[in-house]
Amino acid sequence: MRARYSAHAEANIDFIVRSHHPVTRSEIDQETTQRWAAESDWLGLEIRNVEDGQADDESGSVEFVARYRDGQGRRHEHFEIALFEKLDGEWYFRDAEMPKVTQFKRSGPKQGRNDPCACGSGKKYKKCCAV
């Protein structure tokens, strides 16, 4: 995964294509991928979870966040679960999935705009922490 991230950061389209599984390699839009990689300012890779992918495994997955800035200077976070497969002793990127989103659930009642602020300032919430 780190090698593929580095290949994107260096706009090394040859490595990106070579490390793609032969069965899905034809699905890559090389021109668009090259342009996107070259026009982006890559800010970092965070590995969140790894499942399998050891020497004796035939497949594995890596959940990650890749951060980058596009050509207009906007920051982006690319969340993905990359699926890898071993073929003839070599690892290849096979496919990707979106990570599961966990829904936030409020444990207490919602703070009303006209309620006293929970921070203890004595002000209404809308005039204090809601600003």
Side-chain angles (χ1 to χ4, degrees):
M1 185 64 244
R2 286 180 175 87
R4 284 182 55 84
Y5 171 83
S6 296
H8 280 84
E10 296 170 359
N12 182 351
I13 193 69
D14 292 335
F15 181 83
I16 294 167
V17 171
R18 273 195 323 272
S19 62
H20 223 281
H21 197 283
V23 172
T24 57
R25 199 172 281 164
S26 63
E27 298 172 9
I28 302 171
D29 182 341
Q30 292 185 34
E31 184 179 314
T32 301
T33 303
Q34 173 74 37
R35 188 176 340 104
W36 173 59
E39 291 175 358
S40 298
D41 179 22
W42 296 89
L43 306 173
L45 174 69
E46 176 187 342
I47 304 292
R48 296 215 166 155
N49 188 36
V50 177
E51 290 186 18
D52 301 326
Q54 300 301 315
D56 55 344
D57 293 323
E58 294 299 314
S59 63
S61 66
V62 179
E63 182 178 352
F64 69 92
V65 180
R67 294 177 177 85
Y68 66 96
R69 187 174 289 117
D70 66 20
Q72 287 75 42
R74 296 175 297 219
R75 291 178 61 103
H76 298 273
E77 292 185 332
H78 176 79
F79 295 85
E80 184 177 295
I81 299 174
L83 306 174
F84 292 88
E85 189 174 299
K86 194 186 291 184
L87 179 66
D88 298 328
E90 296 291 324
W91 284 101
Y92 294 95
F93 172 77
R94 178 66 188 237
D95 202 358
E97 298 175 348
M98 294 300 297
K100 305 282 187 277
V101 177
T102 55
Q103 184 68 35
F104 172 78
K105 290 190 176 185
R106 189 183 336 273
S107 59
K110 183 176 179 180
Q111 175 83 44
R113 290 180 35 82
N114 289 316
D115 292 341
C117 192
C119 75
S121 68
K123 297 179 182 179
K124 288 183 179 183
Y125 176 68
K126 68 181 178 185
K127 298 284 186 175
C128 188
C129 291
V131 176

